[in-house]
Amino acid sequence: MTETIARAETLDTELDGTRLATALAQTWKTERGLWGALTTVDHKIIGRRYIVTAFVFLVLGGVLALLMRLQLAQPEARVLGPDRFNQVFTMHGANMMFLFAVPVMEAMGVYLVPLMVGTRNIAFPRLNAFSYWIFLAGGLLLWIAFALDMGPDVGWFAYVPLSGPQYAPGKRADIWAQMITFTELAALAVAVEIVVTVFKQRAPGMSLDRIPLFVWSMLVTSFVVIMAMPAIMVASTSLILDRLVGTHFFNPAEGGDVLLWQHLFWFFGHPEVYIIFLPAVGMVSTLIATFARRPIFGYLALVMALIATGILAFGLWVHHMFVTGLPRLGESFFTASSMAIAIPAGIQIFCWIATLWDGRPVFKTPLLFVIGFIVTFVIGGLTGVMVASVPFDTQVHDTYFVVAHFHYVLIGGAVFPLLGAVYYWFPKFTGRMMSERRGKWAFWLIFIGFHLTFFPMHILGLEGMPRRIYTYQPDLPWHGLNLFVSASALILAAGFLIFFIDAIISARSGNPAGDNPWDAPTLEWATSSPPPAYNFAHIPVVGSAYPLWDQPGSLNVASGLHSDRREIVITTITIAEPQARESSPQNSIWPLLTAITTTIMLIWSIFSPWAVVWGSIPVAITLIGWFWPSGTPEDEA
Amino acid sequence: MIRRVARLLALLAAISLAGCENWQSALQAHGASAISLKHLIIFIVAVCSIVWALVMVAMIYALARRRAAWRAPTELIPERERRMGRIVTACVGLTVVIISIFTLASFFTTRALSVAGSDDLTIRISGMQWWWGVQYLRPNPKQAFDTANEIHIPAGRNVHLVLEGDDVIHSFWVPSLAGKQDLIPGRINEITIRAERPGIYRGQCAEFCGLQHAHMSFFVIADEPQDFERWAAAQRAPATQASDEEIAAGRDAFMSKPCAACHSIRGTKATGTSGPDLTHVGSRKTIGAGLFETTRGSLAAWIADPQTLKPGNNMPLVPLAPEELRAISAYLASLK
Amino acid sequence: MRMVVLLICIVTLGGCEREKRELRLDPPVAAALDKIALMQNRIAGAPPQVYFALDRPFETNAYNLSEGKRLYTWFGCKGCHGDGQGGIGPSFLDGWWYYGPEMVSIFASIRDGRPHGMPAFKNKMTTDEIWQLAGYVQTIGAYSAKTAAPSRNDDKQVRPSENRAPAAILFDQGPTPVHPDQGPTP
């Protein structure tokens, strides 16, 4: 009986503001020091780490790009030999796709989705911690291998037979394949967390039509991750099996098939592009609404476009294989489906322009990046339509035209919005504003540098320059443009340098931001900057898609949660009616330990198939530790 | 503004480059299929440029237009929303029309490309790390012959190419004549090319195939029909006999050293198949898959140190005395 | 943090050179590699110092081993030794080495030839090629699987691939001397 009274006293309705804040801070806190850093399950700390790590990989990958441009600036240059060059371009691609682009987008989701849906932590927070450690281990594996001259040299797509047992001696290709396993594991974990967070942890009242568009985009992305990643997992595992234990998945002489690899790889590889692009679309929609000072035009159409893109993403993989000699009729089908992706993309572009037209644009740095995005991405999308055409593609496939195309899509379509998003959410992450002056410098240098670097590559491709060549002969008329491109790459690099300098300076000494510096409408701006460990003292109740615009001043809140244990509100999927109070896990060291044992098993299995047997024992032990019942009371409905 | 000027400059540079002779360019089309592909490319690029320009105009207008008085963010005007809805729907409809046209244009271009006659000249191309094996197939097998890295074809006639990958995946691409097609181990691909006028067209492997992917080029030489027949007759013949002592010494050294284990010279004991056929190596324009012009000096340099000239290639260094090297290079240069 | 740096250093030291691809050895190094010290009976001996200075590259470097495998085909070894099962020449798979399993012995066999039909290759191959080939030949008959091994070919499989040794157990044909007085009796 006394216990019930004591419990009742911890209810948030019984405590005044300050006492509630203290109690919640105590309950949700992360210990100080190393132990705290290793055991935390706070989605904000993990998300921040994830973002910073991914940006470190961006810098490393950028350095590789500059090295390649140095080599290609002159015909028959000897800056890098063929062996080193192949490692460098493979590392650049694999690093940018698997260690920067996908993780950074998921990381933005890890940080922002729980705040935007108004909950206190992400679903499965320990899995979230595990995901980060595994991602870090995968990144270290790749880069340490590269430092040891063991970096993969078979391209980020690792086509067999070149990556198979006969033509790729040593462990280089295995390191690529196992790095995939690490990053897939990390991405799948985050995807599951985001799906559950969005479906079950939304603030009361946030029905499906009130979900912020960034959250929608992360939700669709997560489903694409869950459906695409198994294909590459199957592919890379089969490759390791072929190489290590003598299976014949890809050996034509023994009934295997070389093209099977390409089908599996691109069944993942094409959706991968949308895994990177869709979150960027969500960011653009969010930024445009805030800086055009009006709700986004065509909310429903944009959500449908996101979902349509996510579904169509699985129907286009063959356009990466148009020159492999597949049947003509099949190729024509994939031409049509690849072109069809222009429809949802078009809907999005037109809705954004309509929003800007009717709104009252405020030209801050984030909006500049969005404008840069539209200019650039439309080019990338149109060249995408070009390569979707089979006959067109037979001339430009595997040339610099394609290099230009996908950099327009990935840098223009995803990195520009990402940089805009960093300028936009930086005050939320750190409590400080980034500099507008440096931001504008960074934007213009990156924008100009980007176009000068990548636009000429379209022409180089049509002029016959293939991709992935470490050099070219002086009798080909490519050196002028190549030199120009290499020089322009320096402008692009300078822009990024200013961006990073700005981020570092602003994080230390930027102007304090306040809760909502942009007068933005979504829930993450309803709490302090940076948010407290418990995100919201009271769970907000939402009545529209733009709660902070519709209810300026104070939000309605839900109450009745305990402050002495980590409690979150579970709501229904469609209309977000409160269903239950659920406890959210405590900090724990087990995710780190499990990640370490998993890493040992995965790396060991590059060298010996027995690692899967013996290595799984420590994994099992750490998993038992992780799931050991802790005696937390069951959920209260 | 600076960007515009710079981009204009880049474009001008490109145009001026395109103006000068480039024997490996999709924009310098001299083959039947490359010409129709070029037309398709120009059509699609032109339409896309217009689309891009229109979107940019719309965006700039949306950003720069004058606004009426201040209003709260959530204060929407229903009439205006409806009008915007209609415009957006119309734009999406236009998008659908454009991509449908593109799809149909692609489909018909593809159909026009895959025409092949039964009496076409058939050549089997095999891609190997990092050179091209070329085998002329004839109805009469006695008339068939092998060569490497150089494909002679009669101008104005369809030539049927059978593409086979022997080790890893390569891609056969002569941009001035046709689009590319992969050579895949365990599969056979086919492509038909036709050079409309005599000339030398450069091609290059377009699928990443390992260390020397960058130096895996070849030439397609379109001859007048009678020149082609003369060339084919010369190629069919076995290797020329040694005409002087040094050449004879070179031939003997070639046969006694491991050269013959990998290379074939028809009419001699050399029947290896791991390296290019050398029966008429002296008649080819280049050695090392387009690396150097064929001269006695370049042959000697290549044999003396292949790994420095083309790092990682599959030609092992064979220890030779200086006089052997001289003799062998003389012998190879004499194989016209 | 210091631990991490230390760990990375250790890994670096242990792993370096393992995957390095020497496409062409410096001539002085190649010349030094030729100077092996053989015992009087031309069986066993010591490789030159430089071989150890390079960390035994022809046994531990997978690239060298796979190059050796290609040389095995190109230089006609298959003609007598088949895919390792032997033929006119002895088998490499049965676990018996007439002249011992040391690298120097195999190197000497290839370079200088052996009685009863093994020709000398010193005029046909460079020193580093002979070393590569010797490394591969040793792998064929390895008693235990090694991490650094050339892998199987994408062909019809006639025997287990080299990285799945021990070949001697899988192919236990017993000693089958091709010539009764060839090498010391096992």
Side-chain angles (χ1 to χ4, degrees), chain A residues 81-87 89-90 153-155 157 159 161-163 167-169 172 467-471, chain B residues 128-130 167-171 205-216 310-314, chain C residues 21 23 63 70:
Chain A
D83 185 37
R84 184 57 79 172
F85 186 88
N86 289 352
Q87 286 187 52
F89 87 72
T90 304
D153 57 353
V154 290
F157 45 90
Y159 274 8
L162 189 63
S163 64
Y167 297 98
R172 293 175 169 188
R467 289 168 80 175
R468 302 171 186 134
I469 51 172
Y470 80 99
T471 191
Chain B
M128 276 155 287
Q129 285 179 327
W130 290 273
D167 40 35
V168 300
I169 300 176
H170 304 278
S171 194
C205 175
E207 180 60 82
F208 176 61
C209 56
L211 285 172
Q212 282 300 332
H213 171 52
H215 290 132
M216 190 175 162
K310 191 169 170 180
N313 85 85
N314 285 337
Chain C
R21 300 188 177 188
L23 302 175
Y63 178 72
R70 309 170 101 176

Side-chain angles (χ1 to χ4, degrees), chain A residues 322-624:
Chain A
F322 277 161
V323 298
T324 56
L326 296 174
R328 289 274 176 236
L329 190 66
E331 290 189 338
S332 295
F333 168 79
F334 283 97
T335 293
S337 66
S338 308
M339 296 252 182
I341 205 89
I343 300 170
I347 292 175
Q348 290 164 338
I349 297 279
F350 300 137
C351 285
W352 290 326
I353 292 180
T355 311
L356 288 171
W357 180 80
D358 187 52
R360 331 181 56 74
V362 184
F363 292 92
K364 299 278 189 187
T365 308
L367 187 66
L368 289 185
F369 274 106
V370 168
I371 296 166
F373 154 82
I374 295 179
V375 175
T376 315
F377 173 69
V378 173
I379 299 180
L382 289 168
T383 52
V385 166
M386 297 176 195
V387 294
S389 152
V390 177
F392 196 116
D393 188 58
T394 60
Q395 280 288 27
V396 296
H397 181 81
D398 269 335
T399 67
Y400 264 80
F401 188 92
V402 173
V403 177
H405 158 68
F406 70 74
H407 281 97
Y408 266 78
V409 176
L410 290 174
I411 297 185
V415 177
F416 281 11
L418 176 72
L419 296 182
V422 169
Y423 272 91
Y424 178 65
W425 276 299
F426 195 83
K428 190 50 63 181
F429 297 158
T430 62
R432 295 178 186 279
M433 304 295 287
M434 283 178 85
S435 153
E436 271 299 311
R437 197 167 58 89
R438 283 191 293 264
K440 293 211 159 89
W441 268 101
F443 168 74
W444 285 109
L445 282 175
I446 290 176
F447 183 75
I448 294 168
F450 171 81
H451 282 277
L452 293 183
T453 306
F454 289 100
F455 193 80
M457 289 189 186
H458 291 113
I459 300 159
L460 276 174
L462 288 170
E463 294 253 297
M465 182 168 166
R467 289 168 80 175
R468 302 171 186 134
I469 51 172
Y470 80 99
T471 191
Y472 48 92
Q473 285 163 290
D475 56 342
L476 291 156
W478 302 332
H479 45 269
L481 278 183
N482 269 305
L483 185 62
F484 180 80
V485 163
S486 294
S488 310
L490 292 177
I491 304 179
L492 182 57
F496 274 101
L497 191 65
I498 292 184
F499 167 77
F500 286 115
I501 290 172
D502 187 18
I504 291 165
I505 294 180
S506 305
R508 289 163 179 237
S509 57
N511 294 328
D515 290 358
N516 189 358
W518 311 110
D519 187 23
T522 39
L523 282 183
E524 76 274 25
W525 303 103
T527 182
S528 62
S529 305
Y534 48 89
N535 287 359
F536 300 94
H538 296 278
I539 300 298
V541 175
V542 173
S544 84
Y546 300 91
L548 301 197
W549 280 348
D550 282 323
Q551 307 163 34
S554 65
L555 283 171
N556 296 333
V557 291
S559 53
L561 291 181
H562 290 290
S563 58
D564 66 335
R565 63 168 209 160
R566 296 187 173 186
E567 276 191 344
I568 52 173
V569 179
I570 298 294
T571 52
T572 56
I573 290 184
T574 46
I575 54 170
E577 272 186 337
Q579 253 182 331
R581 287 181 303 194
E582 162 132 340
S583 63
S584 181
Q586 298 292 326
N587 297 339
S588 163
I589 191 68
W590 288 108
L592 174 62
L593 297 180
T594 312
I596 291 173
T597 53
T598 312
T599 304
I600 291 170
M601 181 184 79
L602 289 178
I603 295 182
W604 187 8
S605 69
I606 295 176
F607 299 93
S608 162
W610 290 101
V612 183
V613 179
W614 303 120
S616 65
I617 294 171
V619 176
I621 293 171
T622 44
L623 280 176
I624 291 169

Side-chain angles (χ1 to χ4, degrees), chain A residues 294 358-359 397 463 473, chain B residues 24 67 80-81 180 202:
Chain A
R294 63 152 278 163
D358 187 52
H397 181 81
E463 294 253 297
Q473 285 163 290
Chain B
Q24 179 175 328
R67 322 268 157 181
R80 197 179 274 180
E81 295 292 299
K180 61 182 76 62
R202 193 178 189 273

